[in-house]
Amino acid sequence: AEVSAGHVYVIWGLRIPRLLLAALVGGSLAVSGAALQGVFRNPLAEPGLIGVSGGAALGAYAVLVLGGGFLVAVPSWLQPWLLSIAAFISGLIAVSIAALIASSQPRESTATLLLAGVAITSITFAGGGLLSFVADEASLRSAVMWQLGSVAGATWQGVVIMTIILVLGMALLLPLREPLNALLLGEREAFHLGFTVAAIKRRAILGSALLVGGAVAFSGMIGFVGLVVPHLLRLRLGPDHRWLLPCATLAGALLLVLADTVSRIVVAPAELPVGILTALVGGPYFIWLLVSRRGGGIQ
């Protein structure tokens, strides 16, 4: 049977880019979570803690709410990418401010960075709330839908850019497999083993911020992937980052592809934002995981 041009467009122009973007975003979020959990030595750490998700959300809200006023000054070829660019840049700015605050202390520590990230996240969400307050109904709806998370708007250009971001992020994170293993023993022990702890932290945070900023820019806010996937892998594979980082990338990609597939069919012909699905499933499952583990505690 002859394949119509419409079927070719649906498969090649819509389905395949969406599948690939879901895999790239899921892998980016999961490996970022795995790296940050190693840096903070805490399996409850996740990408949003360092401020990048909140910063990216603020940038996206600014474009969605205020974009109409300055779109005329932006070249036409750049206008479709303005939201992604703003989200990416503002996410990196937010995490850079958090890192700068931490480094300004006499002794830079992960605790200071964590607290700075929480503070920056609070400020960015307050800014997003203020923009929502002044937004008109159409802009507010667009902002809310973006915040719920989706890969429905995937394009081949977005897939290419996200692939480049993932490659760059992995180039920063994968060489940290041994240093992150050393950090599990403690910062002083890692230093005595010959590792520069401050450099390890900066590289891990930079790589994670790059990956999460790109993921949020192209898909909106998708929660729990960066928390649940690396935590489950730690329970199954152990804390060895030589296995954990690459396996988290693959598992995160698989999980988000599966979640996006379910989100397209569970309320068909409508479509459930994949960020809602990951939160609805990931939250209760993570609670069950914590409660069901005897002996108390999280490793």
Side-chain angles (χ1 to χ4, degrees):
E2 185 177 349
V3 179
S4 68
H7 285 94
V8 172
Y9 171 74
V10 168
I11 294 173
W12 186 251
L14 299 177
R15 293 286 185 251
I16 295 180
R18 180 169 180 163
L19 183 148
L20 293 176
L21 184 64
L24 292 166
V25 168
S28 297
L29 293 174
V31 73
S32 300
L36 291 176
Q37 288 174 8
V39 168
F40 290 112
R41 301 196 302 282
N42 187 335
L44 294 181
E46 57 97 19
L49 289 177
I50 58 175
V52 62
S53 298
L58 181 60
Y61 264 57
V63 171
L64 291 169
V65 175
L66 307 174
F70 58 84
L71 275 179
V72 291
V74 178
S76 58
W77 63 269
L78 188 60
Q79 290 181 9
W81 298 98
L82 188 59
L83 187 147
S84 297
I85 292 171
F88 183 71
I89 292 176
S90 59
L92 292 184
I93 290 174
V95 73
S96 298
I97 293 174
L100 186 63
I101 293 172
S103 64
S104 67
Q105 301 302 308
R107 288 191 60 188
E108 181 180 351
S109 68
T110 53
T112 305
L113 177 63
L114 180 62
L115 293 174
V118 170
I120 294 297
T121 298
S122 299
I123 294 171
T124 56
F125 275 106
L130 180 61
L131 289 172
S132 300
F133 180 76
V134 302
D136 57 41
E137 186 175 345
S139 298
L140 181 59
R141 179 173 177 79
S142 297
V144 170
M145 291 303 295
W146 179 88
Q147 189 177 21
L148 295 177
S150 175
V151 290
T155 63
W156 279 110
Q157 294 92 331
V159 168
V160 170
I161 294 173
M162 193 62 216
T163 301
I164 295 172
I165 291 173
L166 179 59
V167 170
L168 292 175
M170 295 298 285
L172 288 169
L173 295 183
L174 285 182
L176 296 180
R177 289 172 292 181
E178 292 288 353
L180 287 175
N181 283 345
L183 269 181
L184 294 176
L185 303 173
E187 293 187 7
R188 181 173 298 179
E189 289 76 6
F191 175 77
H192 287 305
L193 288 172
F195 296 104
T196 307
V197 175
I200 295 170
K201 293 180 185 178
R202 284 193 294 266
R203 184 164 179 164
I205 291 168
L206 176 61
S208 299
L210 180 67
L211 291 171
V212 177
V216 173
F218 283 104
S219 66
M221 307 286 282
I222 298 178
F224 279 98
V225 176
L227 173 63
V228 173
V229 171
H231 186 74
L232 288 177
L233 288 176
R234 286 181 190 275
L235 297 179
R236 299 292 180 268
L237 303 177
D240 190 344
H241 290 88
R242 292 176 299 176
W243 293 99
L244 193 59
L245 294 185
C247 288
T249 308
L250 295 176
L254 180 61
L255 174 64
L256 199 57
V257 167
L258 178 61
D260 184 55
T261 302
V262 172
S263 72
R264 286 193 292 107
I265 63 177
V266 68
V267 291
E271 183 176 306
L272 185 70
V274 68
I276 293 180
L277 183 64
T278 58
L280 283 175
V281 176
Y285 181 75
F286 196 65
I287 292 173
W288 173 84
L289 185 68
L290 298 179
V291 172
S292 65
R293 294 204 64 209
R294 296 181 179 178
I298 311 165
Q299 296 177 357

